Each structure stands twice: as structure tokens, then as C-alpha cells.
Amino acid sequence: MPEPPPPSTASRPAPPASDTPAASRPTSATAHAPATGEATRQTTGGPAQDATREATGEPTDTAPTPTPIPMSATLAADEALARRRAAGERVLSMASGEIGLPVLPALADRLAAAATENAYGSVAGSPALRTAVAGYWERRGLPVDPGLVVAGPGSKSLLFAVLLAIGGDVVVPVPSWVSYAAQARLVGARPIPVPILPGEGGVPDPARLREAVTDARASGQRPRAVIVTVPDNPTGTVASAATVRELAAVARELDLIVVSDEIYGDLVHDGSAPAVSPALYAPERTVVTTGLTKNLAVGGWRTGVARLPDGEPGRALHARLVAVASQIWSSPPAPVQSAAAYAFGEPPEVVERVAASRRLHETVVRAVAARFTAVGAELHPVAATCYLYPDFEPLRDHLAEVHGVHGGDGLAALFSERYGIGVLPASAFGEPGRPLRIRAATSHFYGETAERQTAALEAADPLALPWIRESVDRVAEALADLTGRTDLAGRASLADPANPANPEDPEDPAGPANPAGPAGAQVPAALAPHP
């Protein structure tokens, strides 16, 4: 594992936006602004000109310029959809992967019982939590000393802290979760995009990884880490063991640290074929992160954990990570740690809840996947999570001619504006704008109340529940209208005689009869974004 870089590495400026690959280019209006004071000095003449200004009494201009960072695409989409819903629109959120399920009662009880725990505690997390997490990983074939476990306020925060502790530039898969490249820029690094293999999301193609890192180092960059996601967000696929093994071998060859985001590890649909962690093949250089946000649907509790590699380099990295944590969040929230320790211990009720969630995700996401492929979109089989990453390339000519859509951004906008369905374009995940790919999540289909969500978890056939069936049918109606495949639309309207729309029911997604779309075109009632 590489030695920690000198402090100056973490502050090296990113290149101008025009020289940055599409996967790492900032999307804000200030994308061309320099990232640091060093870049500012370069654009204003550098130290020599500063000395001249000082000699003449002219003020120097060496103040750093903030790095331009866009709002997280998923959180921005959630907020936009919330505003539309508050304004009275009927919208269906497929943009965010927040899991819309209730808190397990036993878990809530643990949190409530710990409410009086108000001391800071250990920076790395309580001994009880770290011991429970070590047991969780040992049951998955990744034994670890509890002293090498670090807890924090969400795995997202931990990922940022890990990148800061490692230093250097960061290889990110394309496509990949919206925050990897942004976090790399925040720590002063350059994200280096490397495409995935088809159907094996979350892991950069190992051969192209070797090529990209070699080229980057030849050009003066200092890649020190590669991020992987197993299973993957945004594609919902799982990289094969062979690909993960090859990735680990290339990382060892190139002396890269592997940062493996395994937040979806418990949501592989086939429980007999779990995702394979690179820590199995490169244990001395792999950092693993996970949390309870996805498997137990407690994203608002903000709890995550990291597993550091054993050996002298791993322990040095652990010390740096704990130092970073001490300067940012001091310690994880004490009551949440108590509840998390119980959850990572995996008592029967936790295991049963995770299994029920996994079954629900699989049933609903596969039903929606069938709607996308039925109209001609291409889609790799979804093997985990609640995510879909369909490609509308076979329908490019139709979308351009009928809707004036030429790329993923326009396609996502059409879903939002015409159909009231929030999805994200491929560009949010580091791809260029031309591909007609979007990410859609089904995790908000389970109901708006704890009662409905619990019913979805317990149902033998979740698709038979009216609110889930209506959401699935609404997607089918939108796809049929989008592609002209009205023969595949299913019911003509969600407001069918067996389940009439109830305008007084805020959870009934059916809209009014025959409203006009944004351009005045007639949109099927089920697709209308306005009540």
C-alpha cells in the first residue's frame, strides 16, 4: 500500500473544466473557476508578479477560490420533486435511492433507550459497535480486528474522510455514484474516470484501469486510490468475482488503495450468490465501507462504518482516518451507535427484516424492468438493489423525431415535465450527455405511510397491492406514450373500475381525466403530473 502523500498533494488544484474528462467535469456555472489559491496565482502572474505588486504597493491577489461543487444530483432531484408535490402536483419519484420502508420496531426501541447517552465517546466509535461490526464482516468472510473499524455519521462522510486520509488522485468507475468525483475534488484530488465492463457496474474495467493510471502518472498526476461499488449504484448490477479478482491484482501491481463501497452488500437478490469484495483478493490494500442506510432503511440516522486493512500501512491509514474524523465530526452520535451495534449483531428479527426488504426490492424492480425492456429499451439484468439503468439507444430516432430528445438530459427532463416521473440522466453519474441512459429507482413505490410500507414488506405478492400496482402501471403508461407502444401500456388508465382514483387520497397517484401536457399535447390521465 502506498505511503501517505505529503500534505501538498491534497491541495493540488483540479485542471480547468475544459481539460477535465466528462466523468469528472464540474457542472456548476462556475466550472471554469480555479480551485485553489495556487491556481489563482497562476492566472494572475504567479509569485514573481506578486513580488512586483508588493514592491509597488499594489495589493496582491492570492486568496483561494472555492472549488466549484454542484449539489448532489439525487438530493437536488428529491428537493425539486418535494416542491412540486407541495404545490399540488402528482409526481412519482424514481430519482432517489432512499429506501421508503419503516424502521424496524426493535431497532427504534434501541435508539429510544439510548437517548440519554449524550457524551462524545471514542472518535472511532464505541467498543460495542466496533465489536459488532467486526462480527458482521467476519460472518461475510472478512475477519477484522475491531481496532481497525472506524464508525462515522454515515458511510458517505466516511468515504470523504477516507479519500482525504489517503491523498492523491482517485480513479472512479463510469458510471458511478454521483458523489465520488465530487468528493475527490473536495479533497483537492482529480477524479480519473474509467469505464466499467458491460453488465458489471461499479468496478472499472481492469485493463483500462491499468492504462488510465499509467497515462495519468506519465502526465504528472498521482493516482493513489480506486473506488469500487459492489453491488452497484446506478446500474443495479454486480461485478463478477473474476473481474473483482483482476481489479485487485491490477491495484496491487499499480500500488493503489482500493476503496470498496459495499453499502448495498445485503441487497443482492440471490442470497446464494453474494457480491464479492475486493478485500478477499487484496486484503492488505482494501478499505471497505458500509452502513445501515440501505439494508435497514435508516438513512436519516446517518451511521456508517469502515474496515481498514491490517498491517503497518493499514494501521497508518487508520490513524490518519481517525485524525480526520476527530477534526470533522469528533465522534459518531452516541444513541445511534447503540442501535447500530444491535443491528450489526444481526439478531433474528434484523435478519428477517433485511430478507423481507430484499424480496420486496427484487419483486418490484424486476416488474418495472420488464416494462422498460417491453418498449425496446436495453437493460442488463438487475441483480441487486432497487436501481435500473435502461438505455434507450434503440429508440434514438423515434425520441428525436417525436419528442426532440437527443440525450440523457433531455430524456430525464421529458420524464419529469411530461409524465411527472423523476429520474436522473446518465450525465449525473459521470457519463457524457449523448447516451440515452437514465437511472430509475423503485424504492419509493412501497407507500407513503408506515402501514402501507409494512403491508408491502409482508405481502406474498407486493404487486397486487393497489398503490404499488398503480406506480408500476404509471411507469408502463409513460413508457408506452414515450415510445408510441400503446399496445403495451396495460390498462388505459390507472383509474380503472377495479381501483378508481380517489381525489381525496394523497397516496393515489392517479391523475384527473385527460389533462394537457406542457406543450399542449394530450397526455393519458394516468401520466398527468398535475391533479
Side-chain angles (χ1 to χ4, degrees):
M1 202 161 75
E3 291 299 318
S8 60
T9 300
S11 62
R12 187 171 62 256
S18 59
D19 296 330
T20 307
S24 59
R25 186 161 56 243
T27 56
S28 70
T30 58
H32 290 275
T36 66
E38 180 183 344
T40 303
R41 288 194 295 275
Q42 290 171 351
T43 61
T44 57
Q49 187 162 338
D50 282 350
T52 301
R53 288 173 173 170
E54 289 175 1
T56 61
E58 182 182 352
T60 59
D61 182 14
T62 59
T65 302
T67 300
I69 297 294
M71 177 78 169
S72 164
T74 50
L75 299 181
D78 271 352
E79 291 187 3
L81 289 168
R83 287 192 296 270
R84 292 175 63 178
R85 188 177 291 111
E89 294 188 45
R90 290 287 175 86
V91 294
L92 180 62
S93 176
M94 298 184 74
S96 163
E98 182 176 8
I99 308 299
L101 291 173
V103 177
L104 178 68
L107 190 59
D109 290 344
R110 295 287 176 138
L111 182 67
T116 57
E117 296 180 15
N118 60 343
Y120 280 118
S122 168
V123 173
S126 70
L129 174 56
R130 288 185 283 114
T131 299
V133 171
Y136 170 91
W137 268 313
E138 184 169 8
R139 290 188 291 275
R140 286 154 179 79
L142 298 174
V144 63
D145 179 347
L148 289 171
V149 173
V150 178
S155 62
K156 188 174 188 176
S157 303
L158 277 169
L159 284 165
F160 174 78
V162 166
L163 294 182
L164 190 58
I166 293 172
D169 298 324
V170 183
V171 177
V172 297
V174 178
S176 62
W177 179 51
V178 299
S179 291
Y180 293 146
Q183 288 193 351
R185 286 192 295 272
L186 278 171
V187 302
R190 306 181 194 212
I192 301 171
V194 176
I196 62 171
L197 290 168
E200 298 192 56
V203 176
D205 177 345
R208 298 179 76 168
L209 170 64
R210 180 185 292 107
E211 179 182 349
V213 170
T214 301
D215 290 348
R217 287 175 174 166
S219 67
Q221 292 181 247
R222 296 186 62 188
R224 299 175 55 81
V226 53
I227 298 180
V228 302
T229 320
V230 285
D232 184 42
N233 166 18
T235 68
T237 60
V238 181
S240 68
T243 296
V244 174
R245 184 186 300 109
E246 187 177 356
L247 178 283
V250 173
R252 183 177 288 119
E253 171 192 329
L254 298 172
D255 199 17
L256 295 172
I257 298 174
V258 181
V259 180
S260 187
D261 180 354
E262 301 181 13
I263 192 71
Y264 299 99
D266 291 337
L267 297 183
V268 178
H269 298 160
D270 183 355
S272 66
V276 176
S277 173
L280 289 173
Y281 304 116
E284 81 287 355
R285 63 182 59 252
T286 301
V287 178
V288 181
T289 65
T290 191
L292 305 176
T293 295
K294 304 302 180 180
N295 62 352
L296 285 170
V298 289
W301 290 15
R302 308 313 304 141
T303 182
V305 291
R307 174 190 184 275
L308 279 295
D310 205 351
E312 185 176 345
R315 291 182 180 276
L317 179 58
H318 172 272
R320 288 171 62 85
L321 176 59
V322 172
V324 170
S326 74
Q327 300 291 359
I328 298 178
W329 60 75
S330 299
S331 65
V336 175
Q337 288 189 79
S338 293
Y342 157 78
F344 279 112
E346 297 186 292
E349 59 271 23
V350 168
V351 173
E352 291 168 7
R353 166 56 69 88
V354 173
S357 302
R358 187 166 53 238
R359 289 191 298 268
L360 176 61
H361 295 322
E362 178 183 11
T363 299
V364 176
V365 78
R366 290 192 174 182
V368 176
R371 272 58 174 182
F372 278 97
T373 57
V375 298
E378 294 178 340
L379 183 65
H380 289 288
V382 179
T385 77
C386 51
Y387 297 126
L388 301 156
Y389 202 64
D391 189 345
F392 287 78
E393 183 61 33
L395 301 163
R396 179 175 291 278
D397 290 345
H398 173 83
L399 293 174
E401 180 180 349
V402 176
H403 301 289
V405 167
H406 302 280
D409 290 0
L411 182 59
L414 184 64
F415 268 99
S416 176
E417 295 164 10
R418 181 174 174 85
Y419 306 117
I421 298 176
V423 297
L424 291 179
S427 60
F429 303 94
E431 297 210 63
R434 188 176 190 277
L436 285 164
R437 288 187 280 273
I438 59 171
R439 193 201 71 177
T442 57
S443 53
H444 288 282
F445 284 26
Y446 309 142
E448 295 294 328
T449 65
E451 290 75 17
R452 286 191 170 189
Q453 294 164 0
T454 300
L457 280 168
E458 296 175 350
D461 179 12
L463 297 173
L465 297 174
W467 57 94
I468 294 180
R469 184 179 69 244
E470 289 170 358
S471 293
V472 174
D473 286 347
R474 180 169 180 176
V475 174
E477 291 278 357
L479 291 168
D481 181 76
L482 177 73
T483 62
R485 295 295 305 274
T486 55
D487 57 309
L488 297 174
R491 288 174 287 174
S493 168
L494 298 183
D496 63 88
N499 185 44
N502 178 4
E504 301 302 321
D505 182 357
E507 289 202 14
D508 189 339
N514 205 28
Q522 293 299 307
V523 181
L527 308 180
H530 294 279

